[in-house]
């Protein structure tokens, strides 16, 4: 087998393996972090994700989303960030509480 034939066979095998590999599913945290970064919030994503999950827990207990955002303001000290966390929580972590 010539070198060109070997390289071609190897290339076919590699391309086939890549195409046959299962696509990695992004986690809600990954999607949330990407979304937050895209709107300019590049802080510690683990912290932002924890805050978003806490928002979901509060909403699950029946809290009003506006009240949750207002309480979150005291933690973040940035109203816009709080609003994005509440919106992102509904999109990525608890879609059953997604705000229209």
């Amino acid at each position: 087998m010539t070198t060109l034939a070997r390289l071609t066979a190897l290339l076919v095998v590699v391309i086939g393996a890549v195409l046959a590999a299962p696509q990695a599913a992004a986690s809600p945290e990954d999607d949330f972090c990407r979304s937050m970064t895209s709107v300019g919030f590049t802080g510690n994503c683990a912290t932002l994700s924890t805050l978003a999950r806490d928002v979901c827990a509060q909403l699950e207990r029946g809290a009003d989303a506006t009240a949750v955002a207002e309480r979150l303001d005291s933690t973040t000290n940035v109203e816009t960030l709080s609003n994005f966390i509440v919106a992102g929580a509904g999109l990525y972590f608890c879609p059953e509480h997604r705000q229209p």
Side-chain angles (χ1 to χ4, degrees), residues 60-78:
E60 189 62 33
R61 290 190 300 265
D64 176 66
T66 302
V68 171
E70 288 172 357
R71 281 192 298 273
L72 193 55
D73 288 343
S74 66
T75 301
T76 66
N77 295 317
V78 180

Side-chain angles (χ1 to χ4, degrees), residues 28-53:
E29 288 84 2
D30 292 337
D31 291 340
F32 175 73
C33 292
R34 234 183 330 275
S35 177
M36 294 299 284
T37 299
S38 74
V39 294
F41 296 108
T42 58
N44 183 333
C45 194
T47 300
L48 297 176
S49 294
T50 299
L51 292 171
R53 289 193 179 278

Side-chain angles (χ1 to χ4, degrees), residues 1 5 7-8 11 22 33 46-47 52 57 59 63 66 75 79 82 86 88 90 93 95:
M1 189 179 243
L7 288 174
T8 302
L11 183 61
C33 292
T47 300
L59 295 174
T66 302
T75 301
E79 183 178 339
S82 299
V86 171
F93 298 110

